[in-house]
Amino acid sequence: MEHVVAKHGISERLACRVLGQHRSTQRKKPTRPDDEAILTADITELAIQYGRYGYRRITAMLRHKGWRVNAKRVARIWRREGLKVPSKQPKRGRLWLNDGSCVRLRPEYPNHVWSYDFVEDRTHDGRKYRMLNIIDEFSRECLAIRINRKLKATDVIDALSDLFILRGIPTHIRSDNGPEFIAHNLRNWLSAVGAKTAYIMPGSPWENGYCESFNSKLRDELLNGEIFYTLKEAKIIIEGWRRHYNTIRPHSSLRYQPPAPEVLQWPSAQPQPASPAIPALATNQIVN
């Protein structure tokens, strides 16, 4: 541009208008921050490690690692490196009644509404195993994932009893109408301990949206990319993913904070060693 202006004697304003360029492009040379290469490497590393995360969740994880970066810069590097953004889940409607009311029990505080559901998968030998996922809908925390080849109503009671002892009894428990959840012994036990059941309408999985969303993340981010050769291996890896989901993985509905981040306790003051006792003989000598 400078060569054209100097050779033909035309103004910079006219040359930019003819070429369709903004005048600031001729005065400010584009620069790249010094930390661009390091930031690109960290973004690529996180994208490889968490292949189903988008650039917004990666931005949150970068900030947790100490980067002071906004989502626009990460998105620019994301597009430049050709990284793929996961496809979005389709939106689903609510269940509306004839009188215009909406059937939806919304969680208002921790331990208000829990929900649980079953997810099935197979080990490498083709044998099926089941997972009972229990979440707190308010905090989005996955409270437990019970895994076994077969899970019945008694196993549901066993998993819930352990959680009731550790976390208290929730006000409501939401589930579908599966045979394990509507069993008489489970319903009688929940009524005895004081927890109310909230069953969704048959054929309406979107009413249990919190648990369905968690199930899809579990399958998309872990089950679809792992081969489990034994049930023991599945239990260990899935439990590790559950802890990562609760303590590290940024959740979009929680402003990209994990549901239950680990809290580092400040080390308490160490007790000072007691002064050595003075022998009685030495004491007598000092007094004398």
Side-chain angles (χ1 to χ4, degrees):
M1 176 70 74
E2 296 178 357
H3 176 71
V4 174
V5 172
K7 182 177 181 181
H8 297 280
I10 61 176
S11 65
E12 181 184 281
R13 186 188 302 274
L14 176 60
C16 289
R17 185 166 61 249
V18 172
L19 297 177
Q21 295 183 357
H22 197 275
R23 293 177 64 192
S24 62
T25 60
Q26 307 303 318
R27 302 177 181 178
K28 183 179 179 180
K29 296 183 179 180
T31 58
R32 181 170 295 183
D34 298 335
D35 59 351
E36 186 83 357
I38 302 176
L39 177 60
T40 302
D42 285 355
I43 293 174
T44 305
E45 180 182 356
L46 290 173
I48 294 174
Q49 185 176 1
Y50 308 106
R52 299 299 299 173
Y53 288 4
Y55 72 89
R56 291 184 180 87
R57 206 179 305 275
I58 294 297
T59 302
M61 299 193 73
L62 289 171
R63 290 172 180 169
H64 293 164
K65 292 178 62 176
W67 280 97
R68 300 182 62 182
V69 61
N70 57 26
K72 292 182 179 180
R73 185 182 179 190
V74 177
R76 175 177 56 81
I77 299 175
W78 190 274
R79 290 192 298 267
R80 187 187 68 203
E81 297 298 320
L83 301 174
K84 185 178 180 181
V85 179
S87 59
K88 296 182 180 179
Q89 295 289 334
K91 295 183 179 180
R92 303 188 180 187
R94 303 177 184 174
L95 178 65
W96 295 91
L97 299 180
N98 295 331
D99 58 358
S101 61
C102 178
V103 180
R104 190 67 180 270
L105 174 64
R106 291 189 175 275
E108 299 177 358
Y109 48 85
N111 269 18
H112 181 206
V113 183
W114 289 5
S115 61
Y116 50 17
D117 196 10
F118 285 111
V119 174
E120 294 185 355
D121 199 25
R122 295 181 181 273
T123 51
H124 186 259
D125 56 4
R127 296 179 62 192
K128 183 177 67 175
Y129 66 92
R130 306 186 77 190
M131 292 163 280
L132 173 64
N133 301 333
I134 308 174
I135 66 170
D136 187 320
E137 293 189 356
F138 182 83
S139 64
R140 307 300 201 277
E141 181 182 2
C142 177
L143 305 177
I145 300 180
R146 182 65 63 93
I147 305 172
N148 214 332
R149 294 292 182 186
K150 295 182 179 180
L151 291 173
K152 301 180 180 179
T154 54
D155 300 302
V156 177
I157 295 175
D158 183 59
L160 289 178
S161 61
D162 292 342
L163 291 176
F164 287 177
I165 295 173
L166 295 175
R167 297 176 175 267
I169 301 173
T171 307
H172 300 274
I173 299 183
R174 195 195 315 264
S175 70
D176 57 23
N177 295 269
E180 300 85 1
F181 301 137
I182 63 175
H184 290 292
N185 55 349
L186 174 59
R187 300 176 67 174
N188 294 336
W189 180 76
L190 289 175
S191 177
V193 298
K196 301 178 182 179
T197 56
Y199 294 109
I200 67 175
M201 293 294 293
S204 304
W206 54 85
E207 291 187 40
N208 197 10
Y210 295 97
C211 205
E212 293 289 342
S213 176
F214 174 82
N215 294 344
S216 66
K217 292 179 176 63
L218 171 63
R219 189 171 296 280
D220 183 48
E221 297 176 9
L222 180 67
L223 300 181
N224 289 345
E226 291 284 348
I227 298 177
F228 301 129
Y229 292 94
T230 62
L231 185 63
K232 183 66 174 180
E233 180 185 13
K235 290 182 178 180
I236 294 174
I237 295 179
I238 293 174
E239 176 62 20
W241 183 88
R242 185 188 72 87
R243 294 180 180 178
H244 168 82
Y245 178 89
N246 288 336
T247 59
I248 298 177
R249 181 188 184 277
H251 203 294
S252 58
S253 63
L254 301 177
R255 297 183 179 180
Y256 289 98
Q257 297 295 323
E262 292 182 346
V263 178
L264 299 178
Q265 296 183 354
W266 190 262
S268 58
Q270 298 294 332
Q272 297 295 331
S275 57
I278 301 177
L281 180 60
T283 305
N284 296 332
Q285 292 176 355
I286 294 175
V287 173
N288 296 332

